[in-house]
Amino acid sequence: MNTVSRHFVLAAGGTGGHLTPAFALAQELVQRGHHVALITDERGAAIPGKPDFLPAHVLPAGRFGKNPLRWPTAISAVLKGRAMARRLYESFQPTAVVGFGGYPALPALLAARSAGVPSVIHEQNAVLGRVNRLLAGRVDAIATAYEEVDRLKPAFLAKTHVVGNPVRAEVLALRNEPFPAFTADGLLRVLVTGGSQGARVLSEIVPDGLAMLQPALRSRLQVTQQCRPEDLEAVRARYANHDIPAELGSYFQDMHVRLGDAHLFIGRAGASTIAELTAVGRPAILVPLPIATDDHQAANTREMVKAGGARSIRQERFTAKELAKQIQAMAQHPETLATAAHAAWNCGRPDAAEKLADLVESFGGEPIQDVIRVGADSKAELGNAAQGAAA
């Protein structure tokens, strides 16, 4: 058991997809006796779920788009954030810096490189994200959630480690609970969510799709659906017209409990969603977000679909008729749904936080020295960064 207390910095963009695994790693490292700090943006510092023990440092971070005319402003912001991160490292003296993607991770990891601090990036999706693509050649290790990751260069495979995507402790606690009993005449509990902001297409399609199920299945439905606040009344009216019992809300505090009770999930294919579905073992009908960068949500579905734990429907093909067809195929017989649940469960990587912590700890040799090495010229480095991010 490790008895040496070290310092680690986690850097992540201010979205749940980046921060959820960062929080899970923070919990694991603190349980091992280490000290952890977070670098993020203003959204990340205020996001629900941040552990109370985790101090957040807000750094400026420019976004590099495809328009080179905007790069100077972005470079200036990143340089400012990089200098702030360097000052933090001088006082905090981290053993390693771990980036989880998003532009706020860029200055933190560039500062680690110039300061001679070991660095690791974690990719939650099945496509290497822009910032992680930019930094992949500059870090000491790459951790992935999937064995197959698009846009990860073969040259980097030697330092790539498949660890999975850490999930919230309350979700992981459900992994060893049995799949809810589903019988030929029992309730079919369906959970529908579209990510943190909801998804209008689900509100428009799902009620009508459920209404098209064969009467023997439709009469047993019990639906929980997350919607955008402005869509709630319209969705409620749709379910009422179809005489389908449904509990609706824009946010559910106990989402992990509802996931544990569900027989079938319908929703988007974000990295955290897939990680939680496979951690708990819940069959799913996934509708990847069509505007996701590099179509990464479609890539996220591959492993689960191949295993038989999910079905994926492209949004342009996501009609009420197609949804009813897929539900009917999955839930017409209890054993079919249970088999899909087990297939989803087999895709889970419940020890993701522990494996990621082991990887991060492997860089904890001698304490970081007081003398900080100066890396490549900042402007040149960031000029290359801008080109890489825009690629």
Side-chain angles (χ1 to χ4, degrees):
M1 180 178 179
N2 175 53
T3 58
V4 178
S5 179
R6 304 179 185 129
H7 292 186
F8 295 96
V9 170
L10 312 185
T15 66
H18 295 310
L19 284 164
T20 296
F23 294 161
L25 177 61
Q27 294 275 10
E28 179 65 24
L29 290 173
V30 167
Q31 288 175 7
R32 297 186 184 196
H34 302 303
H35 301 279
V36 184
L38 173 70
I39 287 177
T40 187
D41 56 15
E42 291 182 356
R43 287 188 305 163
I47 200 166
K50 185 178 78 65
D52 293 337
F53 64 77
L54 187 62
H57 302 266
V58 176
L59 266 61
R63 294 182 62 87
F64 294 97
K66 294 183 178 180
N67 185 357
L69 296 178
R70 298 182 179 179
W71 289 359
T73 301
I75 288 175
S76 176
V78 173
L79 284 173
K80 182 178 178 182
R82 179 179 178 272
M84 293 172 65
R86 283 284 295 270
R87 290 195 293 273
L88 171 63
Y89 300 165
E90 289 173 2
S91 60
F92 193 65
Q93 294 194 343
T95 294
V97 177
V98 187
F100 289 85
Y103 282 101
L106 181 56
L109 286 157
L110 291 176
R113 175 179 168 82
S114 68
V117 178
S119 56
V120 179
I121 55 174
H122 179 269
E123 178 56 60
Q124 300 91 52
N125 292 297
V127 180
L128 203 63
R130 288 179 179 175
V131 170
N132 282 348
R133 282 203 302 272
L134 166 67
L135 296 165
R138 297 169 165 85
V139 298
D140 296 282
I142 300 168
T144 66
Y146 299 93
E147 291 188 6
E148 183 183 352
V149 179
D150 297 344
R151 307 199 72 165
L152 176 61
K153 294 181 179 179
F156 303 146
L157 293 179
K159 62 178 179 180
T160 299
H161 308 261
V162 181
V163 301
N165 192 13
V167 300
R168 298 172 293 159
E170 58 266 31
V171 172
L172 193 58
L174 299 171
R175 181 164 176 83
N176 293 323
E177 297 294 322
F179 183 62
F182 177 59
T183 61
D185 56 359
L187 288 174
L188 172 60
R189 292 190 291 271
V190 179
L191 174 64
V192 186
T193 78
S196 59
Q197 300 301 316
R200 179 155 292 159
V201 69
L202 298 177
S203 296
E204 294 171 346
I205 299 297
V206 173
D208 294 345
L210 294 175
M212 295 177 69
L213 292 173
Q214 294 177 6
L217 196 57
R218 172 179 163 170
S219 64
R220 297 152 52 201
L221 287 171
Q222 187 176 77
V223 180
T224 299
Q225 183 162 346
Q226 176 225 6
C227 312
R228 293 179 179 180
E230 62 270 26
D231 294 338
L232 280 171
E233 291 308 314
V235 178
R236 186 171 285 113
R238 283 176 183 265
Y239 278 115
N241 289 339
H242 294 315
D243 197 25
I244 296 174
E247 180 182 2
L248 309 179
S250 58
Y251 178 77
F252 293 109
Q253 187 74 35
D254 60 343
M255 184 62 81
H256 65 286
V257 175
R258 296 170 188 273
L259 179 60
D261 288 340
H263 295 110
L264 178 65
F265 173 89
I266 303 172
R268 292 299 195 194
S272 293
T273 296
I274 300 292
E276 293 189 352
L277 288 170
T278 56
V280 179
R282 292 297 178 270
I285 294 175
L286 302 168
V287 187
L289 178 67
I291 61 171
T293 306
D294 298 316
D295 202 20
H296 68 256
Q297 286 205 2
N300 290 348
T301 69
R302 287 187 306 227
E303 184 178 71
M304 199 173 171
V305 169
K306 183 178 179 180
R311 297 182 179 220
S312 181
I313 307 174
R314 286 284 189 175
Q315 185 161 310
E316 61 269 21
R317 293 182 51 248
F318 185 59
T319 63
K321 183 177 180 181
E322 180 64 20
L323 176 61
K325 174 184 173 183
Q326 298 297 340
I327 295 174
Q328 201 74 41
M330 293 183 75
Q332 188 168 11
H333 303 290
E335 62 272 15
T336 305
L337 204 59
T339 298
H342 187 65
W345 189 89
N346 281 337
C347 292
R349 294 183 172 90
D351 54 356
E354 290 89 341
K355 283 189 173 181
L356 184 56
D358 289 344
L359 177 62
V360 170
E361 278 188 332
S362 72
F363 294 99
E366 294 298 319
I368 299 300
Q369 300 298 312
D370 291 336
V371 178
I372 298 178
R373 298 197 303 274
V374 178
D377 177 76
S378 299
K379 294 287 186 180
E381 189 173 348
L382 284 168
N384 293 333
Q387 294 181 24

